Each structure stands twice: as C-alpha cells, then as structure tokens.
C-alpha cells in the first residue's frame, strides 16, 4: 500500500473498531539486561562520545536494530494495530545529555522509522485484513518553555521557542522520510513545547512535506487533574484543537483507575478520536509496576464499553501480555462517537473559557 492508502485504511479501521496501540518499550528493553557495549555498538566509540551511553534506548535503532524489530514484532503479534518508533527522546535537545551530534539524532529517527515501517509492512502482508500502522514517537523534552529553570527567577528559561521548534522540525522531517503513517506527540507535560511541535509539522506541510494525521497525548501528572504546566483537561484540548488532530488523549503518570475521570472529561468535549494508554498502575517502592494484564484490561475495557475511547494501549510497565489482554477485552466493542463540534470561540489559559453570543 502507498502511504495515502495506509492513512485511509487507518481512518477506516478507527470507524470500525477500537484501535490498539503497543505498550511500554522501556520495560521490555530493561528486561534485556543490555550493557554499555550494546548501546555504543561500533559507531559510538567512547573516545568520540565520552560518558555513559547506557540507558539511551533510542540509540538502539542504530546499534541494536534487531532488538527494535523484535519489539515491534512482539507488540504487533500481541494484537496492536499501531506501534511506535523507538524515538521518544530523539531530538537534539534531549540527546544533548549524551552529547550526540545532530547527524546521529537524524539517523536515529530515520532508521527508527525504517525499522518500524518494515515490521508493519511484514505484519500487514501476513494479515491483510488487519493492516498494521506506524506512529512516529515525538516525546517531551527535558527542558520546558512554560516553566522557569530557576526557582529564583520566574522568567528564566533554559531553551527558547525557536530552539524547541527547530529540534522538533528535524525529528519530524526524519520520521516522515523514514515512512511513518502518523505522528504521536506524546507524554506532553508542557503544552507550549507541544505547540512548537505542532507548528513544525504545519510549517513543513506548507513547504510540501506529506501531510500525516497527528495524535496528541498529554499527561495528567497527579490527582489535581492538571498537566505539569497547570492546564485542566479542557484547557489542554482548547490549546491544541486548532491542529485538527486525528486523536487526542492522555498517557503515562497514572494507572487506569486514576486516569478514567480525565479521559471521561476529554471524551465529553473532543470532536475527534479519544485515545488513552495508562501505566500498569503506580510504581511500587522499587519503581516496578505490579498491575497484571487482567487488571489493566478490566479497567480500560470498562472505558470502552462505556463509550469513552477510540484507541487504547499501554505505557510504563505494560508488556505484550498487557496489550494482548486489552485487545481481547475490547474485541467487538464499538468505538466512541466523537462529541459534536461547537461553533463557539473557546480559549484557554490554565482553565478553559468559552465565548457565547
């Protein structure tokens, strides 16, 4: 299939059933017990790249592509319709922690997309009635535009909007060239960072780059019901709805039991698909996730039956077993109908504001 045919198939599938996203990559890579040499490979020798490279999971796209392909296969095999590229932190800003050069960051995104594309196409060839899709993972940065980097100086920022925009622009170009079907701007803690990514996508499309669906996924960081940059659920939606996203939702930070009210709130106002991929509960004292696949699937299965969601998956602590259980729990359940569009002006700061005549 061509890219446009795949996008059409994705949209058709979303009308027909609840789509399934993959689960955690971090927990599965951690299980491999990789050493420094696995991360460095032949390309990133210590003399040229000093410091520790272990833990930089994105670099495995270049040094251990076999692991990346195996994880795509594991999640597609578990029933995922969509898998993400292994590029969550593949921007020049985030990779500066490892002193990676811009060309290496570009290559991570390009090769990560190519690996995912090959895996998705192979699975589609095996099961043409269930095509598989590839989402380009665009994660948050370790620097925020909305919050001060110095507790003593509210106006201090360690990065500018233009720098964030350019970092995302490079990542998006490489993901597009590598063959992704859609963009997933995910784990958003700072809406202004997200808006820089959205602007980068829109500008590149105006310059002639292939137009792809955009999926936006924020993070509610605690029981306050707000993002880290302080927005309520509806304010967050009002801030990004101009992008006309294919899907909007939340992931990470919370388990499914605590995430439900926020997904329900979003479901009431969003005139597009709603997606959610929670953690496997909250971490225990050792930082491990104890929630079992049947528990997670019971939680999110009830969301589906109550008509709250269109796409489900897993974040931290979830495995192919969790994804298989979720897929089984929502089999045959009709997807949510998007909320009707309101022809009113809706604004947002930290709270939403609606102007009616």
């Amino acid at each position: 299939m061509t890219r446009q045919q795949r996008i059409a198939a994705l949209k058709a599938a979303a009308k027909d059933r609840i789509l399934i996203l993959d689960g955690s990559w971090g927990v599965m890579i951690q299980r491999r017990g990789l050493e420094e040499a696995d991360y460095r490979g032949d390309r990133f020798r210590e003399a040229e790249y000093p410091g520790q490279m272990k833990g930089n999971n994105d670099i495995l796209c270049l040094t251990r592509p076999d692991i990346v392909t195996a994880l795509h296969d594991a999640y597609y095999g578990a029933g995922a319709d969509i898998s993400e590229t292994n590029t969550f932190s593949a921007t020049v800003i985030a990779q500066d922690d490892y002193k990676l050069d811009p060309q290496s960051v570009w290559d991570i995104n390009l090769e990560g997309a190519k690996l995912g594309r090959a895996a998705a196409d192979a699975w589609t060839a095996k099961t043409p009635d269930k095509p598989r899709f590839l989402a380009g993972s665009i994660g948050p940065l370790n620097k925020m535009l909305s919050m001060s980097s110095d507790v003593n100086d509210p106006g201090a920022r360690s990065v500018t909007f233009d720098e964030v925009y350019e970092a995302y622009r490079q990542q998006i170009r490489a993901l597009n060239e590598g063959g992704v079907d859609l963009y997933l701007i995910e784990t958003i803690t700072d809406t202004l960072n997200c808006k820089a990514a959205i602007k980068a996508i829109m500008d590149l499309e105006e310059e002639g780059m292939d137009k792809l669906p955009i999926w936006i996924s924020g993070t509610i960081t605690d029981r306050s019901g707000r993002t880290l940059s302080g927005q309520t659920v509806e304010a967050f939606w009002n801030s990004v709805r101009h992008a006309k996203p294919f899907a909007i939702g939340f992931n990470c930070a919370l388990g499914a039991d605590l995430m439900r009210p926020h997904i329900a709130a979003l479901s009431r106002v969003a005139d597009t698909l709603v997606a959610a991929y929670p953690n496997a509960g909250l971490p225990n004292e050792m930082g491990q996730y104890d929630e079992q696949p049947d528990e997670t699937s019971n939680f999110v299965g009830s969301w589906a039956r109550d008509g709250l969601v269109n796409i489900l998956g897993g974040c931290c602590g979830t495995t192919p077993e969790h994804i298989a259980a979720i897929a089984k729990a929502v089999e045959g359940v009709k997807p949510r109908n998007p909320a009707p569009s309101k022809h009113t002006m809706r604004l947002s700061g930290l709270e939403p504001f609606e102007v009616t005549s």
Side-chain angles (χ1 to χ4, degrees):
M1 289 192 289
T2 66
R3 175 181 266 168
Q4 292 307 313
Q5 288 173 328
R6 294 195 302 267
I7 292 171
L10 172 65
K11 293 179 178 179
K15 291 180 180 179
D16 182 59
R17 66 181 188 275
I18 293 174
L19 299 180
I20 303 298
L21 177 70
D22 61 13
S24 171
W25 280 66
V27 69
M28 299 302 293
I29 291 172
Q30 187 177 26
R31 288 182 178 183
R32 293 271 181 159
L34 302 179
E35 300 297 336
E36 184 74 10
D38 293 295
Y39 287 89
R40 288 188 175 275
D42 294 328
R43 176 168 177 170
F44 300 99
R45 298 183 184 279
E46 192 169 359
E48 299 172 39
Y49 298 89
Q52 180 175 297
M53 202 64 71
K54 184 177 179 179
N56 186 6
N57 290 342
D58 294 3
I59 210 171
L60 297 174
C61 293
L62 303 178
T63 59
R64 289 296 305 270
D66 58 313
I67 291 176
V68 176
T69 296
L71 286 175
H72 282 303
D73 286 341
Y75 280 120
Y76 284 135
D81 297 282
I82 306 169
S83 186
E84 299 182 58
T85 55
N86 183 42
T87 58
F88 183 80
S89 300
T91 59
V92 291
I93 292 175
Q95 287 296 322
D96 187 55
D97 284 353
Y98 298 96
K99 307 305 177 186
L100 283 199
D101 56 285
Q103 184 61 53
S104 294
V105 177
W106 170 276
D107 291 345
I108 289 172
N109 286 287
L110 183 65
E111 293 305 315
K114 287 181 176 180
L115 291 169
R117 175 81 274 132
D121 290 348
W123 278 93
T124 298
K126 290 180 186 178
T127 56
D129 59 325
K130 183 182 172 64
R132 304 310 207 281
F133 308 100
L134 180 65
S137 174
I138 302 169
L141 302 180
N142 48 0
K143 298 177 181 179
M144 299 176 65
L145 290 168
S146 295
M147 297 179 69
S148 173
S149 56
D150 182 352
V151 68
N152 297 311
D153 181 1
R157 298 293 186 272
S158 57
V159 70
T160 67
F161 185 91
D162 287 346
E163 289 170 338
V164 172
Y165 167 86
E166 288 297 337
Y168 280 133
R169 183 182 170 96
Q170 183 205 49
Q171 181 179 34
I172 290 158
R173 284 177 55 230
L175 290 172
N176 190 294
E177 184 175 323
V180 300
D181 300 312
L182 68 158
Y183 306 113
L184 175 46
I185 309 172
E186 62 176 326
T187 322
I188 299 161
T189 53
D190 185 344
T191 308
L192 191 53
N193 283 25
C194 172
K195 289 168 82 72
I198 291 171
K199 177 173 171 52
I201 292 171
M202 290 182 164
D203 286 352
L204 285 165
E205 289 174 350
E206 287 185 2
E207 295 167 18
M209 192 179 73
D210 285 355
K211 186 173 183 178
L212 306 181
I214 303 172
W215 173 357
I216 299 171
S217 187
T219 295
I220 299 296
T221 53
D222 55 36
R223 300 191 189 203
S224 69
R226 294 176 181 264
T227 65
L228 187 60
S229 52
Q231 287 189 303
T232 64
V233 169
E234 189 172 351
F236 173 68
W237 163 239
N238 286 352
S239 292
V240 300
R241 60 186 291 271
H242 68 283
K244 298 180 180 179
F246 166 73
I248 183 76
F250 292 110
N251 73 288
C252 205
L254 302 176
D257 56 339
L258 297 178
M259 189 182 284
R260 177 176 173 129
H262 311 308
I263 293 299
L266 188 61
S267 181
R268 288 192 293 269
V269 298
D271 58 6
T272 190
L273 306 185
V274 165
Y277 48 115
N279 292 347
L282 296 178
N284 59 28
E285 294 83 356
M286 301 300 292
Q288 303 298 312
Y289 292 86
D290 299 323
E291 189 172 280
Q292 297 301 302
D294 63 315
E295 297 174 284
T296 305
S297 62
N298 284 338
F299 283 127
V300 299
S302 70
W303 302 357
R305 291 187 294 274
D306 291 341
L308 300 181
V309 291
N310 303 89
I311 307 173
L312 287 169
C315 202
C316 301
T318 59
T319 66
E321 290 74 25
H322 287 81
I323 299 309
I326 291 170
K328 184 177 180 180
V330 302
E331 188 175 359
V333 179
K334 291 184 178 180
R336 160 190 169 273
N337 291 318
S341 297
K342 287 186 177 181
H343 298 289
T344 58
M345 179 183 291
R346 282 169 282 168
L347 307 173
S348 67
L350 298 182
E351 286 80 27
F353 182 74
E354 185 171 338
V355 179
T356 57
S357 57

